[in-house]
């Protein structure tokens, strides 16, 4: 559960860490939100019964509890005090919406891309609180929000990436490490994409010994069963015999930890999918191991020992320590980017890609539209 105990959730650290919304700039990663929008807040004319009011509304996964503090003629604070939404996604909505309501003295504020249901819950609860305070909800819904800008900005870079999910984010990091200028266009107000709602588990073939379990008799029986089923499936005998030889040599050398190899990973996959041809390549095993090694090198601490889970009976499964879901990877990678302070990396939040820029039959960039109405054309030289 994500809770707060009197601490404001719209402080500077929340803005910087989460890069929460359109209109916010100077994200600590060198990332930006959309261009700042003009503040068109009206002069204070509302009337309230001063005090702090509480209300709840249903978000995507849970009830969202909001406290609103008002003075005689102004909304002074909006705090989300309790929720069980996805932390990073919810915090993007909390930071953006709470700030806009207080700054603009208006309920005509935008929801946050990627966090629509949480945004709507916050707004609904705030309206309830305003009603409790005797405020005119309808008038505040009509009050001027941020003025939509109609500007186009051209950004020159070496590589343009659409999306700051798993593929986009890791690609941006790898390129930035090489000194390549990168601009990422992300439609949501936060990084991570679908990785934030993934199960977060990775398979780690041929993992270092400290990750492996001690071998048990049931595991020995399982290995023998896999080899028997592989032969029955039609996996080539030389592949099965090769893995059996690896297995015998592993324990003959005095190892007590679980046996594993890329070839065994392939054979086990063939048995699991019922496709003997899958046993002939170790590409998947190598890719899975390299993924684990890469995330570890970039700040992700993986759980030990490896476990077997449904569909992956051999103990190879792991996940980030403390946060078994995909959010653990996003947190660690964001910390890595912050510490690295890549000057070459810029992220345009709340900006949806609209179309590719094609010249002489070659893709040279991408056009995007920010939630504030700003149009971007990112031109890439590589």
């Amino acid at each position: 559960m994500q809770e707060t105990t009197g601490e404001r959730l719209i402080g500077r650290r929340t803005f910087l860490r989460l890069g929460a919304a359109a209109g916010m700039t100077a994200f600590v990663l060198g990332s930006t939100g959309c261009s700042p929008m003009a503040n068109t807040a009206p002069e204070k004319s509302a009337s309230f019964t001063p005090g702090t009011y509480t209300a709840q509304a249903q978000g995507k996964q849970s009830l969202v509890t909001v406290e609103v503090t008002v003075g005689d003629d102004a909304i002074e604070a909006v705090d989300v005090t309790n929720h069980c939404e996805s932390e990073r996604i919810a915090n993007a909505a909390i930071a953006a919406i709470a700030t806009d309501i207080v700054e603009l003295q208006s309920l005509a504020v935008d929801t946050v891309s990627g966090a629509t249901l949480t945004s709507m819950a916050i707004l609904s609860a705030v309206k309830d609180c305003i009603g409790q305070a005797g405020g005119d909800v309808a008038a505040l819904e009509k009050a001027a929000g941020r003025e939509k800008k109609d500007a186009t900005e051209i950004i020159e870079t070496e590589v343009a990436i659409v999306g700051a999910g798993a593929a986009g984010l890791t690609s941006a990091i790898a390129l930035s490490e090489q000194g390549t200028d990168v601009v990422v266009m992300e439609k949501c107000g936060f990084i991570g994409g679908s990785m934030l709602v993934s199960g977060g588990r990775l398979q780690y073939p041929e993992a270092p010994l400290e990750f492996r379990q001690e071998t048990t008799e049931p595991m020995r029986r399982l290995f023998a069963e896999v080899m028997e089923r592989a032969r029955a499936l039609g996996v080539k005998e030389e592949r099965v015999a090769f893995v059996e030889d690896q297995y015998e040599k592993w324990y003959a050398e005095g190892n007590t930890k679980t046996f594993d190899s890329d070839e065994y990973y392939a054979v086990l996959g063939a048995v699991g999918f019922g496709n003997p041809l899958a046993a002939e390549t170790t590409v998947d095993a190598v890719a899975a191991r390299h993924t684990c090694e890469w995330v570890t090198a970039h700040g992700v601490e993986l759980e030990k020992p490896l476990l077997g889970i449904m569909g992956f009976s051999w103990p190879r499964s792991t996940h980030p320590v403390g946060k078994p879901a995909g959010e653990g990877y996003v947190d660690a990678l964001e910390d890595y980017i912050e510490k690295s302070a890549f000057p070459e990396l810029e992220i345009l939040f709340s900006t949806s890609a609209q179309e590719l820029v094609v010249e002489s039959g070659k893709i040279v960039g991408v056009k995007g539209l920010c939630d504030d109405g700003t149009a971007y054309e990112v031109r890439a030289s590589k």
Side-chain angles (χ1 to χ4, degrees):
M1 178 179 294
Q2 173 71 11
E3 297 186 5
T4 64
T5 53
E7 179 183 359
R8 293 292 302 279
L9 291 181
I10 57 174
R12 177 171 173 78
R13 179 59 181 166
T14 303
F15 278 104
L16 295 181
R17 181 166 178 78
L18 299 175
M24 291 187 292
T25 57
F27 184 34
V28 73
L29 309 188
S31 311
T32 65
C34 304
S35 301
M37 294 177 283
N39 186 338
T40 58
E43 294 184 2
K44 296 177 181 178
S45 59
S47 176
F48 307 105
T49 300
T52 298
Y53 301 87
T54 302
Q56 291 183 322
Q58 181 63 46
K60 181 176 182 179
Q61 298 174 328
S62 70
L63 286 173
V64 178
T65 304
V66 175
E67 284 187 356
V68 177
T69 301
V70 297
D72 290 322
D73 60 0
I75 302 171
E76 297 179 350
V78 174
D79 295 290
V80 175
T81 59
N82 198 354
H83 69 82
C84 292
E85 305 285 85
S86 174
E87 181 179 350
R88 182 179 295 270
I89 295 173
N91 283 348
I94 292 167
I97 294 175
T99 300
D100 280 354
I101 289 173
V102 174
E103 182 179 329
L104 302 174
Q105 295 297 300
S106 170
L107 295 178
V109 300
D110 292 330
T111 57
V112 175
S113 297
T116 303
L117 295 179
T118 304
S119 300
M120 292 173 64
I122 296 170
L123 282 168
S124 178
V126 170
K127 292 174 186 178
D128 189 334
C129 291
I130 295 298
Q132 294 176 46
D136 189 337
V137 173
L140 288 171
E141 288 179 319
K142 296 177 182 178
R146 293 192 184 276
E147 181 181 347
K148 300 293 184 180
K149 297 189 67 175
D150 185 18
T152 299
E153 181 177 342
I154 306 295
I155 300 176
E156 300 286 347
T157 188
E158 291 182 291
V159 175
I161 295 175
V162 176
L169 189 60
T170 54
S171 297
I173 291 172
L175 288 165
S176 297
E177 288 174 329
Q178 298 171 14
T180 303
D181 288 333
V182 180
V183 173
V184 181
M185 192 174 288
E186 169 54 51
K187 68 179 181 180
C188 296
F190 45 85
I191 62 174
S194 60
M195 185 160 50
L196 293 171
V197 293
S198 71
R201 288 194 170 273
L202 293 177
Q203 295 294 299
Y204 202 161
E206 284 196 34
L209 288 180
E210 63 265 27
F211 279 88
R212 304 194 198 188
Q213 295 185 25
E214 290 291 329
T215 304
T216 63
E217 188 57 34
M219 291 168 64
R220 291 182 180 276
R221 291 197 298 268
L222 176 58
F223 177 84
E225 180 184 344
V226 170
M227 295 299 100
E228 180 180 346
R229 292 178 61 186
R231 286 189 169 94
L233 181 64
V235 174
K236 291 182 178 179
E237 177 59 30
E238 54 263 38
R239 173 65 90 184
V240 178
F242 181 81
V243 172
E244 288 177 330
D245 185 57
Q246 288 180 317
Y247 179 86
E248 294 300 329
K249 286 181 178 178
W250 173 260
Y251 291 109
E253 292 171 356
N255 291 301
T256 61
K257 295 293 184 72
T258 310
F259 162 77
D260 203 5
S261 72
D262 291 349
E263 291 78 12
Y264 180 46
Y265 183 97
V267 170
L268 195 58
V271 171
F273 290 110
N275 180 5
L277 295 179
E280 298 181 16
T281 177
T282 59
V283 171
D284 287 346
V286 173
R289 182 171 59 259
H290 285 177
T291 297
C292 292
E293 292 170 346
W294 191 91
V295 297
T296 299
H298 289 79
V300 179
E301 182 183 359
L302 295 175
E303 189 73 39
K304 306 171 187 175
L306 302 177
L307 300 174
I309 60 173
M310 185 177 296
F312 299 93
S313 54
W314 202 252
R316 294 195 187 99
S317 180
T318 186
H319 57 76
V321 171
K323 287 190 175 181
E327 196 164 348
Y329 299 105
V330 181
D331 285 350
L333 293 178
E334 184 179 69
D335 286 341
Y336 177 82
I337 296 173
E338 288 186 13
K339 292 174 183 176
S340 301
F342 295 119
E344 304 86 0
L345 176 58
E346 181 178 13
I347 302 177
L348 301 176
F349 288 104
S350 301
T351 303
S352 298
Q354 302 293 302
E355 62 178 299
L356 297 175
V357 180
V358 180
E359 294 178 356
S360 302
K362 180 181 178 181
I363 298 173
V364 296
V366 59
K367 294 181 180 180
L369 183 65
C370 183
D371 284 354
D372 72 352
T374 302
Y376 288 100
E377 183 173 323
V378 180
R379 301 185 66 85
S381 61
K382 289 189 175 180

